[in-house]
Amino acid sequence: MPSDPGPDAASEDWLVAARERVRVFAQYEGAFREEADVVVVGSGPCGAVAAYELAAAGHDVILLEEGPPFTVRDFELDGNLSMTRTMREGGLRMTRGTVMPTMQAIALGGGSLVNSAICVRPPDAVFDRWATGFDLERTNRAELDPHFDAIATFLGIAPTPDEVQGRRNLLFRDACNALGVSSEPIERSVRGCRGSGECFTGCRSRAKQSMDVSYVPAALRAGARVFTSVQVQQVHSIGRRVTGVSGQVVAPFSRGSRRGRSHHFRIDARAIVLAAGCTATPVLLKQSGDLANASGQVGENLQFHPGLAIAGIFPEPVDPQFGATQGYQSLAFLEEGFKLETLWAPPPLLSMRFPGFGEELLSHFAEIPQMAVWDAIVSANRSLGRVRARWRSLDPVLHWAIHPEDVAILRRSLKVIAELFFAAGARKILPGVQGIAEVMTSLDQARILDSDAVRPENLVLGGNHVFCTTRMHGDPTRGVVDEDGRCHDLENLYIADTGIFPQCPSVNPMLTGMALARRQARLLGQRL
Amino acid sequence: MLTALLLIAFAFLVHRRFLSGYAPPPPGLAVLHRGEATFIDAAAEVLFPGGGSLPVAGIEAQLPHYVDRHLAALPRAQRFQIRALLLLFEHGTLLFPGDEPGGRRRFSSLSAAARVSILARLSKHPNRHARLVFMALRAVLTLGYLGHPGNLCALGVAPFEIQPGVSDAELLFPRIGGLVSSIRYEPEDRTDPALLGPLDPHGPRHRAYARAHPGRR
Ligand SMILES: Cc1cc2nc3c(=O)[nH]c(=O)nc-3n(C[C@H](O)[C@H](O)[C@H](O)COP(=O)(O)OP(=O)(O)OC[C@H]3O[C@@H](n4cnc5c(N)ncnc54)[C@H](O)[C@@H]3O)c2cc1C
Ligand code: SF4
């Protein structure tokens, strides 16, 4: 088995050969057909790791990605316009039921291009719950730690250094210290962060080790072929075996329109790894004749980490544009069901929830230089939903409803964030909850946040961590894939994205997804 | 005959209400029609009045152009939703008139005071859906207003001037739309952000923002 190369491990001869293995939109001149040992669909964190591992083990791999590769000069600085380029449905995807925005990237590197690179290992308790609830024997920290370690070494995962925290992150640390709450600098897959606070629109410094600068080049170096701007529309099968995938070339930014689709392609392969993402893979399976769904679980069990945020206004300038996008966290409340983090994003996106209009709204805008934003993500294991296919489209319809017990956790997290802000010396907070005071200036006033006065429909939620739609289960009648990520119903179809999580992981999911993908790819590599 | 006359009268009324009487649109719009552009300016004027703490007022921020760019970049379904929102606001006065004589006129034809009172009513409306409609409009326009380079610079939160990095991605992939053969970078062009160190929190901002002045985009 290969060892993970550091980014500077190889000589540079690989570059010419690797460029020949890349295909971008401008290169496609007609329909094409290819063969490979393994085809991996989706180049997000999970697919990129799987493609690298399989290529490094000597297999002929084709990695397919619907989005284009972004170079630094393709990044758009305006956060809103950036979302229209990097996110599916222009970044305006919403769940139905409990209405909540949820985003999925469409780019080489998937979510890693636009995420904050937070890498956290779930605690033992999470894996214990998975083992007992889902008949799993080998999905635990002891088994996964070597995979976590290898990925951490490869991506340079390390705690965010103080020099690039910026004041808005350090205020969180001070607040936690003041209240005796444990906190720590966030571990991120970043080398040489400069504190530009712009992870969300793409790291212009190329410090962030998104997949397009890390695992995808490593896969190319190891011999994989990478085809971008190709949309897989069907997985083909005969009996209990899949035979290949087919689809069409899509123009960058063609936004799902039929006019953007052109040449057809087909790739035949001995094994297929679906890593199209938790909301895309089930749709692909359904559009392929309800594949791998003897259990009836494809598209079911949809879970999120619903998140909410509070803006705190301090008496003095915080210079919030400077600092790691998300630099500090507290895991102190994980057992209660939530994790706390600091957060930054382009200010127009952060301030969409500010109250009022006219002079009142402008006065809130004027305080942005004194603002910090802290958020909570909640382990909403009881809040379930499902993914359905839209007619003649690969865009999913997401139904999801927040459970009353999870609302209680959200309320509690709001109150804790408020306590932290006032402990740090905030002058006031903007809780962003409708139906109660829009601005709070004391802890006394903030107590209402942990009460029934906070109606679930008045919470402004966001959910970018998505799980469980093709869940892993030891029992083939209750899950879609086994512990190795192989579909119970098909001998050579694997799923490697966050859809295979049996439950939400309570912490940011990227690293767990990558570790599971690494383990799975190594097993698949041995079976081929 | 009577039906034909009724249809003609109906068409005339629809035309008068929805299409006629708008000033020509500002040049350079790809998606928005003149009525939508007029509405956006009318809403921006009262949502983001001038003379406050930010240098660029709503009416100067060229929001029709920003919204136009946004809509042009969105998939059809999302574009339709936002345009429906603009239409709803402009003509919702038919059902929820402004509180002045002639309050059923189009939103953009109402006085500033009447527009303010409509927005105030919606923003505090007991019905959650009415509040959501208000918040959606405010969000669409805030993105362009606060995102205006002049306003972001004034607040000190514009993106930093940064030396663009060169990573393996720049070595392997062309700019979007280009061919692999167009890549000009070689391995020796690679940059190491660690050598540059942390940015200065008060350091220079991206050129496109720093040279911004009121009214310019
Ligand atoms: C704004 C944001 C910030 C986040 N921050 C963090 C963070 O800091 N830390 C963390 O742990 N998690 C974070 N997350 C979540 C994390 O990014 C995701 O959990 C992770 O990207 C999931 O990886 P994946 O490989 O399962 O899927 P994805 O990253 O979604 O990748 C799937 C890929 O498949 C492609 N694809 C889909 N359908 C097809 C098709 N039919 N044909 C071809 N290709 C297809 C997609 O374009 C995409 O590139 C964040 C998410 C968002 C949106
Ligand atoms: S904060 Fe800025 S420099 Fe640091 S990883 Fe994010 S985008 Fe890159």
Side-chain angles (χ1 to χ4, degrees), chain A residues 115-117 188 190 192-200 202-208 323-326, chain B residues 162 199:
Chain A
N115 75 18
S116 307
R188 299 176 308 148
V190 170
C193 176
R194 306 193 65 203
S196 66
E198 62 182 15
C199 293
F200 190 67
C203 179
R204 281 181 291 152
S205 303
R206 286 304 199 185
K208 183 167 71 170
T325 306
Q326 299 198 263
Chain B
I162 286 177
L199 292 162

Side-chain angles (χ1 to χ4, degrees), chain A residues 42 46 65-66 88 104 107 110-111 115 118 232 276 497-498 508-510:
Chain A
C46 304
E65 169 55 52
E66 184 177 346
R88 286 167 186 274
Q104 192 196 6
N115 75 18
I118 299 175
V232 173
D497 54 41
T498 58
N508 316 62
M510 176 169 67

Side-chain angles (χ1 to χ4, degrees), chain A residues 41-47 64-67 87-88 103-112 114-119 200 230-233 275-278 280 284 326 394 464-466 496-498 508-511:
Chain A
V41 180
S43 68
C46 304
L64 301 176
E65 169 55 52
E66 184 177 346
M87 303 292 190
R88 286 167 186 274
M103 289 188 265
Q104 192 196 6
I106 175 166
L108 188 71
S112 68
V114 289
N115 75 18
S116 307
I118 299 175
C119 291
F200 190 67
V230 286
Q231 182 190 55
V232 173
Q233 294 162 343
C278 176
L284 199 48
Q326 299 198 263
L394 288 173
N464 292 325
H465 301 171
V466 198
D497 54 41
T498 58
N508 316 62
M510 176 169 67
L511 183 61

Side-chain angles (χ1 to χ4, degrees), chain A residues 12 19 72-74 78 80 194 204 206 213 221 255 319 321-322 351 354 356 358 362 369 434 457, chain B residues 47 49 66 70 73-74 128 131 138 146 155 157 160 165 167-168 170-171 175-176 185 190 197 199 202:
Chain A
E12 305 299 358
R19 278 181 185 163
V72 165
R73 289 179 199 281
D74 295 309
D78 179 296
N80 173 44
R194 306 193 65 203
R204 281 181 291 152
R206 286 304 199 185
V213 309
R221 186 180 296 160
R255 309 164 200 109
D319 296 323
Q321 187 61 35
F322 175 71
S351 25
F354 284 5
L362 294 184
Q434 295 174 55
E457 63 274 16
Chain B
L47 277 171
Y66 184 87
H70 186 199
L74 283 176
R128 185 175 148 257
R131 289 200 308 273
R138 190 184 58 185
L146 192 58
L155 293 170
V157 287
F160 288 97
S167 68
D168 279 359
E170 281 66 38
L171 296 185
R175 285 198 66 172
I176 294 172
Y185 291 113
R190 270 206 200 95
L199 292 162
H202 302 115

Side-chain angles (χ1 to χ4, degrees), chain A residues 41-279:
Chain A
V41 180
S43 68
C46 304
V49 168
Y52 163 68
E53 287 297 334
L54 287 158
H59 300 293
D60 179 16
V61 175
I62 298 183
L63 174 62
L64 301 176
E65 169 55 52
E66 184 177 346
F70 281 73
T71 65
V72 165
R73 289 179 199 281
D74 295 309
F75 291 149
E76 161 68 58
L77 291 176
D78 179 296
N80 173 44
L81 298 176
S82 167
M83 285 200 310
T84 64
R85 290 160 67 83
T86 56
M87 303 292 190
R88 286 167 186 274
E89 300 180 49
L92 297 179
R93 181 179 281 177
M94 296 277 179
T95 56
R96 297 181 184 177
T98 300
V99 178
M100 176 173 75
T102 174
M103 289 188 265
Q104 192 196 6
I106 175 166
L108 188 71
S112 68
L113 187 80
V114 289
N115 75 18
S116 307
I118 299 175
C119 291
V120 192
R121 301 180 193 201
D124 284 328
V126 167
F127 291 115
D128 290 346
R129 278 201 300 272
W130 289 11
T132 50
F134 301 87
D135 298 353
L136 304 176
E137 287 165 2
R138 290 178 289 105
T139 304
N140 49 47
R141 274 294 290 268
E143 165 95 8
L144 289 176
D145 269 342
H147 300 286
F148 284 132
D149 291 343
I151 294 164
T153 306
F154 180 53
L155 294 179
I157 295 174
T160 307
D162 272 2
E163 309 84 81
V164 294
Q165 287 286 3
R167 213 164 134 56
R168 64 183 153 75
N169 288 323
L170 293 175
L171 280 165
F172 178 86
R173 176 197 64 188
D174 298 346
C176 289
N177 288 346
L179 293 184
V181 170
S182 68
S183 69
E184 54 276 317
I186 293 180
E187 298 209 354
R188 299 176 308 148
S189 47
V190 170
R191 292 179 199 273
C193 176
R194 306 193 65 203
S196 66
E198 62 182 15
C199 293
F200 190 67
T201 51
C203 179
R204 281 181 291 152
S205 303
R206 286 304 199 185
K208 183 167 71 170
Q209 298 299 296
S210 45
M211 296 304 110
D212 53 327
V213 309
S214 56
Y215 271 102
V216 174
L220 279 162
R221 186 180 296 160
R225 287 174 279 169
V226 176
F227 298 175
T228 62
S229 291
V230 286
Q231 182 190 55
V232 173
Q233 294 162 343
Q234 208 174 354
V235 180
H236 300 277
S237 61
I238 298 175
R240 281 182 57 85
R241 290 188 69 79
V242 287
T243 54
V245 296
S246 62
Q248 277 178 286
V249 170
V250 289
F253 316 130
S254 53
R255 309 164 200 109
S257 81
R258 246 178 294 159
R259 258 184 295 159
R261 295 184 213 145
S262 55
H263 315 296
H264 289 263
F265 70 87
R266 178 167 173 135
I267 318 277
D268 297 310
R270 291 162 58 202
I272 297 174
V273 178
L274 294 182
C278 176
T279 52

